């Protein structure tokens, strides 16, 4: 009886939680978009950079398409911590087979962290451009800037054209 | 003619070439230079009247940053008096002989494109193709140059998989590098027609190779040969002429080769500022990726061993560890002081001279004096700035 009681109790709790979530999601569209952003969604630029939002921090990297175009990365020049970057400003340089390609900041904010693993292993940008090959992290000064960027499906369509 | 050239001392030879080029360019300037460029606006061939590396790199950067290349492509050609040019992420101390360059008056420059270290003198032609991003194509540019040269001279030239121009299947006559921005790009490369090979080898031999760990990009060394060895009529003027005209021909347009003054602020506003930065220590040396040196020195005569570990960041000593196994207190005091004073110093003669000068040691016993002098010499050798 105790076991059954606990199970029912557990199910009731779950229902209670679902009800709460339903309430929240029903309130406003804006809230939905914020909670989506909290889940680590990637936004893409036309220059093939991406920004992944986690709370108030954005992680920046380059896309699969970009790393493929570049060829093997031999050196990564990253911005220094506390650097203030504007949307579209040069944030760093990726050097690959004698070509130095500029990386542009997809949003405005202040640099909080740089991926120092790339100092010893610049090829991570090629091998794991969405995960281990991230470039730097920054604060998100203007969340509305994200509205002008592409979601993954739109970006994939963009590169097909 | 070749025999006579060898007899003339190097310095005179270089001067003679420069005088010749300046005179020719002066004449051409009078004929063609003007502020309003006469060529078809979709294609331009510009040739610099300067032989200063910083001036020419500054103009190239100006064109890359400021020119609207959406409906225009530019071929910019230039030559420099003796200089060494390193790639954006290279370490000058490992790529060339920094103190020797200083002593010989050879300029050192860091470009904004990637790639390896090259030696320039008036026997080298630089070509820079500036185009909009969709038109970026290195192979196309190199093939154009090979077609231009082979159309006039009978030379065996090809472009290999590394995108080097190779002579007779063996010798590299060109090194390529490029820069890609938001909208604009440039692809530039050298072309060896009559470079002084002895000077090149001396300049690119680094004394600091031992015991160094570095994250900087490295150069790939190759065997080289001058184009003029195949045909002595291949020189700066004739190459500019044939490549410039090929550029217009393949674009299907008529055009003139235009000589420009890269220092002219009225035509290129802001170019002096770019030049000033290009010449500065912070750019040339301060942009060096982190590296460290770990050296051990032994003196059997003095019966001592010295270990020197230095970490460098942005061209400055970030950490120094100098340990001598000599137990004499004055020696220990000397190494401690040296360690402290070296911290934060730039890896350059001006800064290190102050720290590494030998102080008055007359109050010490002979053996102590010898050890301290020896430690000092080891540090000078390890830091390789030619103090």
């Amino acid at each position: 009886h105790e076991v059954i009681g606990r199970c029912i109790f557990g199910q009731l709790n779950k229902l209670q939680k679902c009800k709460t979530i339903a309430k929240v999601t029903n309130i406003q569209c804006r809230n939905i978009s914020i909670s989506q952003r909290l889940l680590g969604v990637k936004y893409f630029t036309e220059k093939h950079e991406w920004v992944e939002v986690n709370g108030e921090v954005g992680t920046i990297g380059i896309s699969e398409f970009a790393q493929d175009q570049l060829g093997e990365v031999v050196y990564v020049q990253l911005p220094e911590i506390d650097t203030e970057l504007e949307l579209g400003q040069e944030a760093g340089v990726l050097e690959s087979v004698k070509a130095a390609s500029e990386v542009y900041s997809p949003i405005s904010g202040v640099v909080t962290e740089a991926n120092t693993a790339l100092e010893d292993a610049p090829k991570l940008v090629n091998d794991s451009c969405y995960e281990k090959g991230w470039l730097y992290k920054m604060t998100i000064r203007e969340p509305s800037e994200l509205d002008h960027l592409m979601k993954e499906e739109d970006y994939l369509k963009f590169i097909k054209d | 003619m070749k025999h006579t050239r060898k007899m003339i001392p190097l310095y005179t030879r270089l001067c003679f070439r420069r005088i010749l080029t300046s005179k020719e360019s002066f004449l051409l300037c009078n004929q063609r230079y003007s502020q309003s460029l006469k060529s078809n606006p979709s294609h331009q061939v510009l040739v610099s009247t300067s032989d200063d590396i910083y001036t020419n790199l500054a103009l190239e950067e100006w064109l890359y940053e400021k020119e609207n290349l959406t409906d225009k492509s530019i071929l910019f050609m230039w030559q420099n008096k003796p200089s060494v040019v390193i790639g954006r992420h290279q370490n000058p101390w490992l790529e060339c002989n920094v103190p020797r360059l200083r002593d010989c008056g050879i300029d050192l420059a860091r470009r904004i494109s990637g790639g390896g270290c090259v030696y320039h003198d008036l026997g080298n032609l630089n070509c820079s193709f500036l185009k909009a991003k969709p038109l970026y194509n290195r192979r196309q540019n190199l093939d154009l140059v090979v077609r231009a040269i082979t159309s006039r001279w009978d030379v065996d030239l090809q472009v290999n998989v590394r995108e080097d121009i190779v002579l007779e299947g063996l010798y590299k006559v060109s090194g390529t590098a490029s820069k890609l921005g938001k909208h604009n790009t440039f692809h530039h490369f050298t072309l060896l027609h009559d470079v002084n090979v002895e000077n090149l080898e001396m300049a690119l031999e680094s004394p600091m190779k031992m015991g160094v760990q570095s994250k900087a990009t490295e150069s790939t060394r190759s065997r080289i040969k001058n184009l003029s060895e195949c045909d002595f009529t291949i020189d700066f003027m004739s190459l500019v002429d044939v490549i410039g005209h090929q550029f217009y021909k393949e674009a299907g347009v008529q055009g003139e080769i235009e000589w420009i003054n890269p220092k002219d602020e009225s035509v290129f506003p802001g170019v002096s500022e770019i030049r000033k930065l290009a010449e500065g220590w912070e750019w040339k040396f301060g942009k060096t990726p982190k590296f460290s040196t770990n050296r051990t020195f032994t003196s059997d005569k003095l019966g001592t061993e010295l270990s020197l570990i230095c970490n460098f960041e942005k061209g400055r000593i970030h950490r120094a560890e100098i340990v001598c196994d000599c137990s004499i207190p004055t020696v220990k005091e000397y190494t401690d002081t040296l360690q402290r004073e070296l911290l934060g110093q730039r890896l350059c003669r001006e800064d290190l001279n102050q720290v590494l000068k030998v102080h008055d040691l007359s109050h010490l016993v002979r053996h102590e004096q010898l050890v301290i002098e020896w430690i000092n010499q080891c540090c000078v050798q390890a830091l390789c700035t030619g103090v």
Side-chain angles (χ1 to χ4, degrees), chain B residues 173-196:
Chain B
V173 294
S174 166
T176 245
S178 43
K179 176 80 179 165
L180 288 92
K182 210 179 278 190
H183 307 291
N184 291 353
T185 69
F186 70 77
H187 163 220
H188 59 190
F189 51 92
T190 52
L191 204 54
L192 304 177
H193 55 92
D194 192 24
V195 87
N196 186 305

PDB file of all heavy atoms in Angstrom, chain B residues 173-196:
ATOM      1  N   VAL B 173      60.289  29.768 -56.693  1.00  0.00           N
ATOM      2  CA  VAL B 173      60.579  31.165 -57.034  1.00  0.00           C
ATOM      3  C   VAL B 173      59.530  32.100 -56.461  1.00  0.00           C
ATOM      4  O   VAL B 173      59.577  33.307 -56.675  1.00  0.00           O
ATOM      5  CB  VAL B 173      60.680  31.402 -58.562  1.00  0.00           C
ATOM      6  CG1 VAL B 173      61.865  30.666 -59.133  1.00  0.00           C
ATOM      7  CG2 VAL B 173      59.410  31.020 -59.265  1.00  0.00           C
ATOM      8  N   SER B 174      58.563  31.532 -55.714  1.00  0.00           N
ATOM      9  CA  SER B 174      57.488  32.366 -55.201  1.00  0.00           C
ATOM     10  C   SER B 174      56.872  31.765 -53.948  1.00  0.00           C
ATOM     11  O   SER B 174      56.697  30.567 -53.847  1.00  0.00           O
ATOM     12  CB  SER B 174      56.406  32.481 -56.268  1.00  0.00           C
ATOM     13  OG  SER B 174      55.225  32.990 -55.717  1.00  0.00           O
ATOM     14  N   GLY B 175      56.546  32.619 -52.983  1.00  0.00           N
ATOM     15  CA  GLY B 175      55.846  32.197 -51.767  1.00  0.00           C
ATOM     16  C   GLY B 175      54.550  32.967 -51.648  1.00  0.00           C
ATOM     17  O   GLY B 175      54.541  34.182 -51.819  1.00  0.00           O
ATOM     18  N   THR B 176      53.475  32.240 -51.326  1.00  0.00           N
ATOM     19  CA  THR B 176      52.132  32.843 -51.336  1.00  0.00           C
ATOM     20  C   THR B 176      51.544  33.009 -49.937  1.00  0.00           C
ATOM     21  O   THR B 176      51.827  32.217 -49.047  1.00  0.00           O
ATOM     22  CB  THR B 176      51.221  31.936 -52.214  1.00  0.00           C
ATOM     23  OG1 THR B 176      50.809  32.638 -53.367  1.00  0.00           O
ATOM     24  CG2 THR B 176      50.005  31.437 -51.489  1.00  0.00           C
ATOM     25  N   ALA B 177      50.714  34.060 -49.775  1.00  0.00           N
ATOM     26  CA  ALA B 177      49.990  34.249 -48.511  1.00  0.00           C
ATOM     27  C   ALA B 177      48.749  35.074 -48.811  1.00  0.00           C
ATOM     28  O   ALA B 177      48.707  35.773 -49.832  1.00  0.00           O
ATOM     29  CB  ALA B 177      50.858  34.972 -47.489  1.00  0.00           C
ATOM     30  N   SER B 178      47.742  34.995 -47.951  1.00  0.00           N
ATOM     31  CA  SER B 178      46.557  35.811 -48.208  1.00  0.00           C
ATOM     32  C   SER B 178      45.839  36.237 -46.949  1.00  0.00           C
ATOM     33  O   SER B 178      46.125  35.767 -45.844  1.00  0.00           O
ATOM     34  CB  SER B 178      45.601  35.093 -49.144  1.00  0.00           C
ATOM     35  OG  SER B 178      45.470  33.757 -48.795  1.00  0.00           O
ATOM     36  N   LYS B 179      44.906  37.175 -47.140  1.00  0.00           N
ATOM     37  CA  LYS B 179      44.130  37.751 -46.045  1.00  0.00           C
ATOM     38  C   LYS B 179      42.669  37.813 -46.480  1.00  0.00           C
ATOM     39  O   LYS B 179      42.378  38.297 -47.577  1.00  0.00           O
ATOM     40  CB  LYS B 179      44.641  39.163 -45.756  1.00  0.00           C
ATOM     41  CG  LYS B 179      43.876  39.910 -44.716  1.00  0.00           C
ATOM     42  CD  LYS B 179      44.279  39.508 -43.331  1.00  0.00           C
ATOM     43  CE  LYS B 179      43.486  40.305 -42.293  1.00  0.00           C
ATOM     44  NZ  LYS B 179      43.555  39.777 -40.973  1.00  0.00           N
ATOM     45  N   LEU B 180      41.774  37.307 -45.627  1.00  0.00           N
ATOM     46  CA  LEU B 180      40.347  37.320 -45.970  1.00  0.00           C
ATOM     47  C   LEU B 180      39.560  38.109 -44.948  1.00  0.00           C
ATOM     48  O   LEU B 180      39.599  37.816 -43.758  1.00  0.00           O
ATOM     49  CB  LEU B 180      39.812  35.881 -46.009  1.00  0.00           C
ATOM     50  CG  LEU B 180      40.264  35.046 -47.198  1.00  0.00           C
ATOM     51  CD1 LEU B 180      41.519  34.272 -46.903  1.00  0.00           C
ATOM     52  CD2 LEU B 180      39.179  34.076 -47.598  1.00  0.00           C
ATOM     53  N   GLY B 181      38.836  39.104 -45.444  1.00  0.00           N
ATOM     54  CA  GLY B 181      38.029  39.927 -44.567  1.00  0.00           C
ATOM     55  C   GLY B 181      36.554  39.723 -44.838  1.00  0.00           C
ATOM     56  O   GLY B 181      36.165  38.753 -45.477  1.00  0.00           O
ATOM     57  N   LYS B 182      35.768  40.663 -44.373  1.00  0.00           N
ATOM     58  CA  LYS B 182      34.321  40.577 -44.517  1.00  0.00           C
ATOM     59  C   LYS B 182      33.901  40.595 -45.984  1.00  0.00           C
ATOM     60  O   LYS B 182      33.121  39.779 -46.428  1.00  0.00           O
ATOM     61  CB  LYS B 182      33.681  41.759 -43.791  1.00  0.00           C
ATOM     62  CG  LYS B 182      32.296  41.466 -43.245  1.00  0.00           C
ATOM     63  CD  LYS B 182      31.719  42.662 -42.526  1.00  0.00           C
ATOM     64  CE  LYS B 182      32.209  42.782 -41.113  1.00  0.00           C
ATOM     65  NZ  LYS B 182      31.488  43.804 -40.324  1.00  0.00           N
ATOM     66  N   HIS B 183      34.422  41.588 -46.714  1.00  0.00           N
ATOM     67  CA  HIS B 183      34.053  41.715 -48.131  1.00  0.00           C
ATOM     68  C   HIS B 183      35.267  41.626 -49.040  1.00  0.00           C
ATOM     69  O   HIS B 183      35.189  41.148 -50.143  1.00  0.00           O
ATOM     70  CB  HIS B 183      33.371  43.071 -48.403  1.00  0.00           C
ATOM     71  CG  HIS B 183      32.226  43.323 -47.509  1.00  0.00           C
ATOM     72  ND1 HIS B 183      31.055  42.601 -47.583  1.00  0.00           N
ATOM     73  CD2 HIS B 183      32.057  44.195 -46.498  1.00  0.00           C
ATOM     74  CE1 HIS B 183      30.223  43.025 -46.659  1.00  0.00           C
ATOM     75  NE2 HIS B 183      30.795  43.989 -45.988  1.00  0.00           N
ATOM     76  N   ASN B 184      36.384  42.124 -48.516  1.00  0.00           N
ATOM     77  CA  ASN B 184      37.606  42.201 -49.328  1.00  0.00           C
ATOM     78  C   ASN B 184      38.603  41.109 -48.988  1.00  0.00           C
ATOM     79  O   ASN B 184      38.670  40.643 -47.855  1.00  0.00           O
ATOM     80  CB  ASN B 184      38.291  43.557 -49.111  1.00  0.00           C
ATOM     81  CG  ASN B 184      37.503  44.699 -49.695  1.00  0.00           C
ATOM     82  OD1 ASN B 184      36.500  44.480 -50.381  1.00  0.00           O
ATOM     83  ND2 ASN B 184      37.938  45.914 -49.454  1.00  0.00           N
ATOM     84  N   THR B 185      39.402  40.782 -49.990  1.00  0.00           N
ATOM     85  CA  THR B 185      40.480  39.813 -49.754  1.00  0.00           C
ATOM     86  C   THR B 185      41.704  40.273 -50.517  1.00  0.00           C
ATOM     87  O   THR B 185      41.590  41.046 -51.469  1.00  0.00           O
ATOM     88  CB  THR B 185      40.122  38.416 -50.298  1.00  0.00           C
ATOM     89  OG1 THR B 185      40.104  38.461 -51.738  1.00  0.00           O
ATOM     90  CG2 THR B 185      38.805  37.906 -49.786  1.00  0.00           C
ATOM     91  N   PHE B 186      42.877  39.786 -50.111  1.00  0.00           N
ATOM     92  CA  PHE B 186      44.018  39.926 -51.003  1.00  0.00           C
ATOM     93  C   PHE B 186      44.862  38.671 -50.937  1.00  0.00           C
ATOM     94  O   PHE B 186      44.916  37.981 -49.932  1.00  0.00           O
ATOM     95  CB  PHE B 186      44.833  41.202 -50.755  1.00  0.00           C
ATOM     96  CG  PHE B 186      45.633  41.256 -49.479  1.00  0.00           C
ATOM     97  CD1 PHE B 186      46.831  40.569 -49.353  1.00  0.00           C
ATOM     98  CD2 PHE B 186      45.212  42.044 -48.426  1.00  0.00           C
ATOM     99  CE1 PHE B 186      47.586  40.651 -48.187  1.00  0.00           C
ATOM    100  CE2 PHE B 186      45.961  42.133 -47.258  1.00  0.00           C
ATOM    101  CZ  PHE B 186      47.140  41.433 -47.135  1.00  0.00           C
ATOM    102  N   HIS B 187      45.489  38.419 -52.086  1.00  0.00           N
ATOM    103  CA  HIS B 187      46.408  37.290 -52.204  1.00  0.00           C
ATOM    104  C   HIS B 187      47.705  37.873 -52.709  1.00  0.00           C
ATOM    105  O   HIS B 187      47.732  38.484 -53.782  1.00  0.00           O
ATOM    106  CB  HIS B 187      45.836  36.265 -53.196  1.00  0.00           C
ATOM    107  CG  HIS B 187      46.859  35.288 -53.707  1.00  0.00           C
ATOM    108  ND1 HIS B 187      46.892  34.866 -55.020  1.00  0.00           N
ATOM    109  CD2 HIS B 187      47.900  34.659 -53.093  1.00  0.00           C
ATOM    110  CE1 HIS B 187      47.904  34.013 -55.174  1.00  0.00           C
ATOM    111  NE2 HIS B 187      48.518  33.879 -54.027  1.00  0.00           N
ATOM    112  N   HIS B 188      48.775  37.751 -51.956  1.00  0.00           N
ATOM    113  CA  HIS B 188      50.047  38.290 -52.438  1.00  0.00           C
ATOM    114  C   HIS B 188      51.129  37.228 -52.435  1.00  0.00           C
ATOM    115  O   HIS B 188      51.049  36.219 -51.731  1.00  0.00           O
ATOM    116  CB  HIS B 188      50.464  39.557 -51.674  1.00  0.00           C
ATOM    117  CG  HIS B 188      50.640  39.404 -50.191  1.00  0.00           C
ATOM    118  ND1 HIS B 188      50.810  40.493 -49.375  1.00  0.00           N
ATOM    119  CD2 HIS B 188      50.684  38.344 -49.375  1.00  0.00           C
ATOM    120  CE1 HIS B 188      50.954  40.097 -48.129  1.00  0.00           C
ATOM    121  NE2 HIS B 188      50.868  38.788 -48.095  1.00  0.00           N
ATOM    122  N   PHE B 189      52.119  37.471 -53.256  1.00  0.00           N
ATOM    123  CA  PHE B 189      53.218  36.514 -53.359  1.00  0.00           C
ATOM    124  C   PHE B 189      54.473  37.204 -53.863  1.00  0.00           C
ATOM    125  O   PHE B 189      54.430  38.267 -54.457  1.00  0.00           O
ATOM    126  CB  PHE B 189      52.849  35.319 -54.264  1.00  0.00           C
ATOM    127  CG  PHE B 189      52.298  35.704 -55.602  1.00  0.00           C
ATOM    128  CD1 PHE B 189      53.131  35.859 -56.707  1.00  0.00           C
ATOM    129  CD2 PHE B 189      50.939  35.917 -55.772  1.00  0.00           C
ATOM    130  CE1 PHE B 189      52.614  36.214 -57.947  1.00  0.00           C
ATOM    131  CE2 PHE B 189      50.420  36.257 -57.003  1.00  0.00           C
ATOM    132  CZ  PHE B 189      51.256  36.420 -58.092  1.00  0.00           C
ATOM    133  N   THR B 190      55.602  36.568 -53.577  1.00  0.00           N
ATOM    134  CA  THR B 190      56.896  37.093 -54.022  1.00  0.00           C
ATOM    135  C   THR B 190      57.248  36.435 -55.348  1.00  0.00           C
ATOM    136  O   THR B 190      56.668  35.410 -55.712  1.00  0.00           O
ATOM    137  CB  THR B 190      57.986  36.714 -53.013  1.00  0.00           C
ATOM    138  OG1 THR B 190      57.919  35.295 -52.781  1.00  0.00           O
ATOM    139  CG2 THR B 190      57.821  37.429 -51.690  1.00  0.00           C
ATOM    140  N   LEU B 191      58.177  37.029 -56.060  1.00  0.00           N
ATOM    141  CA  LEU B 191      58.674  36.450 -57.300  1.00  0.00           C
ATOM    142  C   LEU B 191      60.166  36.769 -57.372  1.00  0.00           C
ATOM    143  O   LEU B 191      60.557  37.930 -57.487  1.00  0.00           O
ATOM    144  CB  LEU B 191      57.930  37.075 -58.478  1.00  0.00           C
ATOM    145  CG  LEU B 191      57.837  36.290 -59.781  1.00  0.00           C
ATOM    146  CD1 LEU B 191      57.266  34.900 -59.558  1.00  0.00           C
ATOM    147  CD2 LEU B 191      56.962  37.038 -60.767  1.00  0.00           C
ATOM    148  N   LEU B 192      60.992  35.722 -57.225  1.00  0.00           N
ATOM    149  CA  LEU B 192      62.440  35.949 -57.173  1.00  0.00           C
ATOM    150  C   LEU B 192      63.016  36.039 -58.570  1.00  0.00           C
ATOM    151  O   LEU B 192      63.037  35.041 -59.279  1.00  0.00           O
ATOM    152  CB  LEU B 192      63.117  34.777 -56.436  1.00  0.00           C
ATOM    153  CG  LEU B 192      62.622  34.461 -55.016  1.00  0.00           C
ATOM    154  CD1 LEU B 192      63.349  33.239 -54.479  1.00  0.00           C
ATOM    155  CD2 LEU B 192      62.857  35.635 -54.098  1.00  0.00           C
ATOM    156  N   HIS B 193      63.483  37.214 -58.949  1.00  0.00           N
ATOM    157  CA  HIS B 193      64.115  37.292 -60.265  1.00  0.00           C
ATOM    158  C   HIS B 193      65.621  37.493 -60.152  1.00  0.00           C
ATOM    159  O   HIS B 193      66.380  36.989 -60.957  1.00  0.00           O
ATOM    160  CB  HIS B 193      63.451  38.356 -61.153  1.00  0.00           C
ATOM    161  CG  HIS B 193      63.390  39.725 -60.556  1.00  0.00           C
ATOM    162  ND1 HIS B 193      64.360  40.675 -60.762  1.00  0.00           N
ATOM    163  CD2 HIS B 193      62.480  40.313 -59.750  1.00  0.00           C
ATOM    164  CE1 HIS B 193      64.033  41.781 -60.112  1.00  0.00           C
ATOM    165  NE2 HIS B 193      62.910  41.586 -59.500  1.00  0.00           N
ATOM    166  N   ASP B 194      66.077  38.230 -59.131  1.00  0.00           N
ATOM    167  CA  ASP B 194      67.515  38.451 -58.989  1.00  0.00           C
ATOM    168  C   ASP B 194      67.883  38.742 -57.526  1.00  0.00           C
ATOM    169  O   ASP B 194      68.627  39.680 -57.242  1.00  0.00           O
ATOM    170  CB  ASP B 194      67.940  39.622 -59.895  1.00  0.00           C
ATOM    171  CG  ASP B 194      69.453  39.716 -60.032  1.00  0.00           C
ATOM    172  OD1 ASP B 194      70.133  38.680 -59.841  1.00  0.00           O
ATOM    173  OD2 ASP B 194      69.961  40.820 -60.299  1.00  0.00           O
ATOM    174  N   VAL B 195      67.360  37.910 -56.635  1.00  0.00           N
ATOM    175  CA  VAL B 195      67.592  38.194 -55.217  1.00  0.00           C
ATOM    176  C   VAL B 195      68.983  37.718 -54.804  1.00  0.00           C
ATOM    177  O   VAL B 195      69.529  36.778 -55.393  1.00  0.00           O
ATOM    178  CB  VAL B 195      66.474  37.528 -54.368  1.00  0.00           C
ATOM    179  CG1 VAL B 195      66.824  36.094 -54.013  1.00  0.00           C
ATOM    180  CG2 VAL B 195      66.137  38.323 -53.146  1.00  0.00           C
ATOM    181  N   ASN B 196      69.589  38.370 -53.823  1.00  0.00           N
ATOM    182  CA  ASN B 196      70.918  37.982 -53.352  1.00  0.00           C
ATOM    183  C   ASN B 196      70.776  36.799 -52.408  1.00  0.00           C
ATOM    184  O   ASN B 196      70.344  36.939 -51.264  1.00  0.00           O
ATOM    185  CB  ASN B 196      71.571  39.166 -52.641  1.00  0.00           C
ATOM    186  CG  ASN B 196      73.000  38.866 -52.255  1.00  0.00           C
ATOM    187  OD1 ASN B 196      73.270  37.874 -51.569  1.00  0.00           O
ATOM    188  ND2 ASN B 196      73.922  39.678 -52.711  1.00  0.00           N
TER     189      ASN B 196
END
